[in-house]
Amino acid sequence: MEKLMSIRDLKFVPESYILPPDSRPGDTKIPFCNTIHVLDLKDPTNLVQQIIEASTEFGFFQLINHGVEEKLLQDVSNVAKEFFGLPAEDKAILFSDDPSKSCRLYTSIDYMKEEVHYWRDTLRHSCHPLEEHKQFWPEKPAQYRDGMGSYSVEVRKLSLYLLDLICEGLGLEPGYFRNETDQLTEVQFLAVNHYPPCPDPSLTLGLPKHGDFNLLTLLLQEMDGLQVLKDGQWLAVEPLPNAFVVNVGHALQIISNGKLRSAEHRVVTNRKLARTTITSFIAPSYSCQIEPARVLGPPLYRAFTYRDFIASYITDTYQRNPPLERYKLQL
Ligand SMILES: O=C(O)CCC(=O)C(=O)O
Ligand SMILES: [Fe+2]
């Protein structure tokens, strides 16, 4: 608990947060990338094609006019910031080292096991179905449960709509991602991330280079810090007012038989300002079988259960192995 960044207010970078030289972001300023597609959900012209193009090329796109009310976005951003501003004793109630908890506050990624720590705290909780999980969410700030509850429902609806468009664009049978029996989208969780100001952003990261292991991720950000890796170059994702940053996860890369890209990304820290983001992850249930859609040609990956994938993802990440490599088939 005493390791939470949001209660420490560090004026220097402790040794255990300094990355090895080859993973440090350094001092080079990375400009905003103006080629990451900004898609307007109200403009149906070539929308499906554009989503597929963006997801193939970058694995990332931004979404505007998505139908989630601006007021709700502002309310949840505020409540997220208020949560991290609460006194330590309020946060202590939710702090836990046990990753199986439905709702928990923790710092970095796996503080006890990792060699270097990351400059972030996260409140992570399951969301779907809402009534099963909401009772475990923070009681403070008072608006947290209702605000995040409405937000998670809206973001889930939007994510499933995007998956329908992706389904159409890939030429899969309608409802491929909604088929209740194969549980591809059964799980949703939110991560509320807080990256406090860091005295030397050149030495640290808020999150290291990683790909998301789920199906589809929607991120709400008000401030810069997110960078995407493309062709060996880091590209900075510009915060656009009230937009969502959408990215393809590993499970969707596999289902699309490698057509859509689960791009690696990272978070850099800021010297002066704290950054708070809200990420919604749509994911399969643990028992769900993940495999390339049959209509997408000879499979490039073998089938596996999502539970096995999460276990191997964690091992591979610690050993710095690309997590999809072991599932590739030799053609
Ligand atoms: O906070 C961000 O900008 C990105 C968070 C992220 O990549 C994640 O939670 O997987
Ligand atoms: Fe991520």
Side-chain angles (χ1 to χ4, degrees):
M1 169 70 193
E2 68 283 357
K3 302 294 180 204
L4 272 184
M5 300 307 289
S6 55
I7 59 173
R8 283 170 93 184
D9 192 22
L10 289 164
K11 300 286 182 259
F12 65 98
V13 179
E15 191 92 20
S16 61
Y17 285 78
I18 300 179
L19 290 155
D22 62 339
S23 337
R24 286 181 201 166
D27 280 321
T28 323
K29 170 100 184 104
I30 297 186
F32 289 132
C33 169
N34 55 17
T35 49
I36 292 183
H37 303 53
V38 179
L39 305 184
D40 182 341
L41 211 55
K42 280 221 183 101
D43 177 4
T45 332
N46 298 331
L47 182 62
V48 171
Q49 193 192 330
Q50 289 189 60
I51 291 177
I52 298 296
E53 266 174 34
S55 307
T56 305
E57 198 185 341
F58 290 91
F60 266 80
F61 57 89
Q62 303 227 43
L63 198 63
I64 56 167
N65 289 324
H66 42 63
V68 183
E69 277 186 31
E70 286 179 17
K71 161 105 175 49
L72 182 58
L73 302 181
Q74 274 147 22
D75 287 351
V76 290
S77 294
N78 289 339
V79 98
K81 285 181 255 184
E82 280 167 35
F83 174 80
F84 285 101
L86 288 173
E89 58 269 26
D90 290 326
K91 288 191 280 213
I93 302 169
L94 291 151
F95 186 84
S96 171
D97 287 324
D98 175 6
S100 69
K101 283 195 84 173
S102 161
C103 176
R104 77 169 180 130
L105 174 65
Y106 60 100
T107 190
S108 190
I109 296 176
D110 190 341
Y111 195 90
M112 305 306 272
K113 280 203 196 145
E114 65 206 6
E115 279 167 27
V116 182
H117 308 304
Y118 296 95
W119 206 268
R120 77 148 186 183
D121 292 343
T122 290
L123 173 69
R124 190 183 180 90
H125 53 66
S126 303
C127 301
H128 180 73
L130 185 58
E131 294 316 320
E132 264 177 37
H133 299 288
K134 205 174 164 183
Q135 57 188 305
F136 302 112
W137 297 3
E139 283 181 72
K140 289 185 189 172
Q143 315 82 337
Y144 190 95
R145 289 187 182 175
D146 286 345
M148 285 295 176
S150 308
Y151 178 78
S152 58
V153 168
E154 290 300 310
V155 172
R156 179 173 174 83
K157 262 195 255 164
L158 176 60
S159 306
L160 294 185
Y161 179 58
L162 290 172
L163 284 167
D164 281 345
L165 299 179
I166 289 173
C167 178
E168 183 186 335
L170 289 173
L172 308 183
E173 68 197 66
Y176 190 93
F177 295 105
R178 294 201 189 226
N179 181 345
E180 288 305 316
T181 55
D182 63 21
Q183 308 158 333
L184 277 174
T185 53
E186 195 184 277
V187 173
Q188 181 190 9
F189 53 97
L190 285 190
V192 186
N193 300 302
H194 182 71
Y195 309 92
C198 172
D200 189 347
S202 74
L203 301 175
T204 61
L205 283 171
L207 267 182
K209 178 174 87 169
H210 70 283
D212 294 348
F213 49 77
N214 55 306
L215 221 55
L216 199 68
T217 305
L218 265 66
L219 167 81
L220 186 63
Q221 61 162 0
E222 288 180 331
M223 233 184 86
D224 60 302
L226 177 65
Q227 298 180 348
V228 178
L229 194 60
K230 182 170 191 298
D231 305 325
Q233 299 281 322
W234 286 108
L235 310 173
V237 182
E238 183 172 4
L240 302 176
N242 303 308
F244 284 111
V245 178
V246 181
N247 70 286
V248 171
H250 290 322
L252 187 52
Q253 173 168 328
I254 304 258
I255 293 166
S256 72
N257 204 22
K259 181 163 167 60
L260 307 186
R261 198 172 147 235
S262 167
E264 289 177 309
H265 50 285
R266 70 179 184 184
V267 175
V268 295
T269 56
N270 188 293
R271 196 180 292 275
K272 294 211 176 84
L273 300 170
R275 174 172 183 262
T276 305
T277 64
I278 307 175
T279 326
S280 159
F281 301 91
I282 298 292
S285 62
Y286 281 145
S287 58
C288 186
Q289 167 120 331
I290 310 292
E291 61 191 334
R294 303 236 159 95
V295 294
L296 296 178
L300 300 180
Y301 304 95
R302 67 180 166 84
F304 51 85
T305 64
Y306 193 57
R307 178 186 284 107
D308 290 347
F309 178 56
I310 291 181
S312 67
Y313 175 94
I314 294 169
T315 317
D316 285 341
T317 306
Y318 276 113
Q319 293 171 0
R320 295 190 180 211
N321 294 325
L324 296 187
E325 222 39 50
R326 60 169 81 215
Y327 297 102
K328 277 192 183 155
L329 290 171
Q330 304 301 330
L331 288 184

